[in-house]
Amino acid sequence: MTENPVPELPPVNATAAEAMWAEYLAHRAISSDAAPHHVAESFGDHPALADELSNAIVHGDKRATSSLASEYAYNDERVPQPDDHCIICDGQGEPKAILRVISVDRSSFHEVDEQFAAAEGEGDLSLAYWQKEHEKFWRRTQKLIGRDWSPTDTRKPGGELILERFEICWPEEFAD
């Protein structure tokens, strides 16, 4: 069965993201040279999903996310670390909140537990929902870069899942 193609995410509004970051640093009296590592990105791979996930963060209980270690290697990006920050953007690339990474763990697909699945704050919060939707997501995104993917790939070195837990730290009205 072929997945329906999804519209691409627009680029992050870098000007707005950096303005939010500067406001956060100023409010916390953090100098730019002492600022923690940060990225600005949308979760998901298409605008509707990015909107759903950013809304689940800002107005819901989503306090975790997962990704493939191989994606960081493929994109030559740094794997998140505790105390890193992420300016989370919606499906239009507009910044909505700043997250602080609390913890980062590596896991295989089948080692993800019910508590982590619930912390992802998606669907009915069950592990079965998490497995179904994440398998579908990674099969789709990996196919776009010419890779066949299956959950067993996460048992191989470099193929693990990166499991992040985070808190909202800005804007204050949404902060944990």
Side-chain angles (χ1 to χ4, degrees), residues 128-146:
Y129 180 90
W130 184 93
Q131 289 173 332
K132 178 182 151 225
E133 293 302 314
H134 283 77
E135 181 173 351
K136 187 167 50 173
F137 175 80
W138 286 317
R139 284 186 188 276
R140 180 178 67 238
T141 59
Q142 292 301 287
K143 186 174 186 167
L144 289 173
I145 60 172

Side-chain angles (χ1 to χ4, degrees), residues 15-25 87-88 95-98 170-171:
T15 302
E18 285 306 310
M20 178 183 269
W21 183 245
E23 183 181 1
Y24 168 70
L25 293 179
I87 303 166
I88 190 67
K96 294 299 173 190
I98 298 176
W170 192 258

Side-chain angles (χ1 to χ4, degrees), residues 68-140:
L68 298 174
S70 60
E71 289 179 334
Y72 291 101
Y74 178 83
N75 293 308
D76 196 27
E77 295 175 348
R78 179 178 180 269
V79 172
Q81 299 174 16
D83 293 321
D84 283 358
H85 286 60
C86 176
I87 303 166
I88 190 67
C89 299
D90 64 16
Q92 292 71 49
E94 296 300 321
K96 294 299 173 190
I98 298 176
L99 314 176
R100 184 182 73 82
V101 177
I102 297 170
S103 67
V104 179
D105 294 300
R106 290 180 182 253
S107 173
S108 76
F109 186 87
H110 295 289
E111 292 173 323
V112 172
D113 62 25
E114 292 177 13
Q115 291 78 23
F116 188 85
E120 282 232 25
E122 300 170 25
D124 65 4
L125 308 181
S126 70
L127 180 58
Y129 180 90
W130 184 93
Q131 289 173 332
K132 178 182 151 225
E133 293 302 314
H134 283 77
E135 181 173 351
K136 187 167 50 173
F137 175 80
W138 286 317
R139 284 186 188 276
R140 180 178 67 238

Side-chain angles (χ1 to χ4, degrees), residues 2-22:
T2 304
E3 289 277 338
N4 292 330
V6 294
E8 285 188 31
L9 282 168
V12 166
N13 180 338
T15 302
E18 285 306 310
M20 178 183 269
W21 183 245

